[in-house]
Amino acid sequence: MEEKQGAQFGGESAFVASLTSHQAAIHAFLTSILPGQSGVDDILQLTNIYLWEHRADFQPGTSFKSWAFTTARWQARAWLTKQKRGDWLIVDDRLAEALSSSFEAASPEEASDSLNALRVCLGKLKESDRLLVMSHYQHEKSLRKCAELFDRTVNSLKVALFRLRAALRRCIVSQLALERTQS
Amino acid sequence: MSPRELEQQIQQFLDGTLSAEEQDRLTELLLEDADALELYRQHALLDSSLTRLLEGKMSLTDKDNIATLAEERSRFRSLRTTWLAAAAILTVSLITLRFILIANDPPALTFRSVPDTVFKVSPPVGSDHDPDPGTLTVGSSLDISQGTMELVLASGVRSIVQAPVQLTLDSRNQIDLHEGTAWFHVPPGARGFRVTTPELDIVDLGTEFGVLSTPDDFDEVHVFSGMVEARSRRADHKALALTAKQARRSDPTGELKITSLRPSEFLTTLPDELPHLYFSFDGETDGQLEVAGPHPHAAGIEAELISPDPSALLVPSAMGHALKLSGDRDHVVTDWPGFPGTTPRSVAFWLRIPAGTLQADSLPAMVGWGDPTQGMNAKWKVTLAQTEDGHSFPRISFGVERFDGSTILNDGEWHHFVAIYSGRTLARGLPEVAIHIDGRRESLTRNIGSLGNPDQVLAVGTLTNTFKARPLRIGVSVMGLPDSVHGEIDELYIYQGAISEDTIHALISEKP
């Protein structure tokens, strides 16, 4: 049985490689359909487990990304149900569908290229700004905790974070465009 | 909803701080507007990347780690156990030394940059692991196309480098500077710090010194304090010991010739912005304007008001004073040659043209420099183009290659005008340019001069050292024609680099 499964996907190593290369994209997709939720990593684990255990079901020639995203959406619903969370914490089905199509249409390297571009863009920030962004994400986006840490008001942090994240997004877009022209 | 409000709501949505009602409204908007959906997707991608990067998550590109999934899948059934912790290798991206989670040694080099600095870090040859953000590892390279950076080596050496720069970190106490302007401060504990350029080999003996290395000129070393040992790499000459206030320049024979010490070439602290010149037009002294700004050359530039009554050219404005030109030969002339070649540049200023006024047929420049020889792209001119029906709109001209915006500017109102050349070349060989009027990017039309060929693009390269080249002029053509601009100019910034939209918005907030 293992041999047949392996042969269907072109070998386990090929499946692992495919799953690996889509991790960043699946994580980003889950982030987009679960705004403000802390369970994205857990759901990503569950998605990976499901995809691995059902790798024999994957039809060669079809879109691995589409299969992975569909699985991720289903795992997200199941997880929220199990956690006894209401449906309003996952985006509208129409929006999830639109986001799925949008992420699927992106290049396979987009998510990892964006991560590399982010590293460059973070390096361009002033040290104080970099610390602020880093602390915000390390403290699970708690403005209150960061306000205490930096001795600033929550409102001033909100404004600063908006500005910094908007700037990082634009920087990543520019960096990716720059890398495309230089490649 | 304005673009800013949309972006704010998207961020709040992803943070989970949007009310249910606002979520519903935003959802409908994202479903109706493809651009808004794309913006949301980009922010989700950013949010995901930041979360993964800064919570110490594995980079998830390691196949070995995924392979352990097959062996240890029973552990994953517990939501308390992360499979990241079971992985053999964790790739953690470090931002600053204070947040090192795994590492025994401090980074070989850390760096920080001025906003709008454009740079690229390459890993050591044969490696595909990029250094962590804000750091270089031994063997990695740094390429800065615009802007300024501060580098701090593990040895304690501090350096300020100005674009264009290409360097490689050869060891924890040695830099190979292929190209660039760099100032170094070497503390006592880092003696023996070494800098090599294509032409020079410099070993520090406890000092502060600067190095100039450009592909089209000879390399130089300038010593400000202490002592260095310098040797030419072109020939096997003895090393020279240079002490404070000495400077040497390499020559074709490999000799190190005496040259004048020029401290103004080097920055010793990291500025807050890209290098730029700033003309406020707030006052004059004996017909001379003050030129400010963090560019190393700013303080030494002479800028003269040309008019029978120079002081009358400066009129009150909301930001102090503005330059008011009548169109009758009055203008500003300087001795600054301008940025040469394909050096990235941005020119930003406020402009008010009286309603319905047309400029002279020669189309004098708001800002211009370079060689105006016809049939070439050897100048840089920011000006207004005009239609037969009496409208003026923005234009960038290199000579043959011209790029026109569409916003009408001769309406009697103040407009913010930004002209940018990135230094890069697009497909078909066209220079990459942008015009922003009042913070909005213009859609540009290519409009080649009468000597141009629409099927061919002549390379762009501003010439500043030819016989016909003219230094920076404000309000008049670089061709030497007498007609000047008819209108007002204020808060003029000339940047060495392509400024970002953030910088543009910050400039606009200071409306005259």
Side-chain angles (χ1 to χ4, degrees), chain A residues 20 27 32 36 41 49 52-53 94 102 110 119 127 130-131 134 137-138 141 165 169-170, chain B residues 7 11 14-15 28 40-42 47-48 54 57 66 70 76-77 93 95 98-99 119 502:
Chain A
T20 304
H27 192 279
S32 75
D41 291 328
I49 294 167
W52 171 257
E53 291 182 341
R94 296 171 298 159
S102 185
E110 184 201 42
R119 290 192 176 104
E127 187 178 349
R130 198 157 51 219
L131 288 174
M134 190 168 71
Y137 282 82
Q138 286 188 330
K141 297 187 180 181
R165 288 190 290 188
R169 182 195 66 82
R170 285 193 295 271
Chain B
E7 197 155 14
Q11 287 193 26
L14 288 165
D15 286 346
E28 292 306 318
Y40 178 77
R41 198 184 70 84
Q42 286 177 7
D47 212 65
S48 164
L54 297 176
K57 296 293 187 285
I66 300 292
F76 302 151
R77 300 196 185 281
S93 293
I95 308 296
R98 278 187 258 171
F99 289 86
F119 66 92
D502 274 348

Side-chain angles (χ1 to χ4, degrees), chain A residues 17-92:
Chain A
S18 198
L19 183 56
T20 304
S21 68
H22 284 90
Q23 288 298 292
I26 300 171
H27 192 279
F29 172 63
L30 283 170
T31 300
S32 75
I33 64 170
L34 293 165
Q37 296 306 301
S38 56
V40 169
D41 291 328
D42 290 338
I43 298 168
L44 178 61
Q45 288 183 46
L46 294 168
T47 303
N48 286 333
I49 294 167
Y50 182 89
L51 292 174
W52 171 257
E53 291 182 341
H54 294 84
R55 60 195 183 280
D57 297 341
F58 177 72
Q59 298 299 316
T62 61
S63 165
F64 181 89
K65 211 177 193 180
S66 179
W67 179 49
F69 282 6
T70 303
T71 302
R73 277 172 70 181
W74 175 74
Q75 290 291 345
R77 285 204 173 281
W79 185 83
L80 286 171
T81 303
K82 200 169 181 181
Q83 298 293 307
K84 296 184 172 32
R85 312 288 285 270
D87 271 356
W88 63 269
L89 289 170
I90 190 169
V91 298
D92 183 291

Side-chain angles (χ1 to χ4, degrees), chain B residues 346-350 416-419 490-495 499 507:
Chain B
S346 309
V347 174
F349 54 92
W350 287 95
H416 193 253
F417 190 148
V418 179
D490 201 2
E491 301 300 303
L492 169 64
Y493 290 82
I494 302 177
Y495 287 88
I499 59 175
L507 290 172

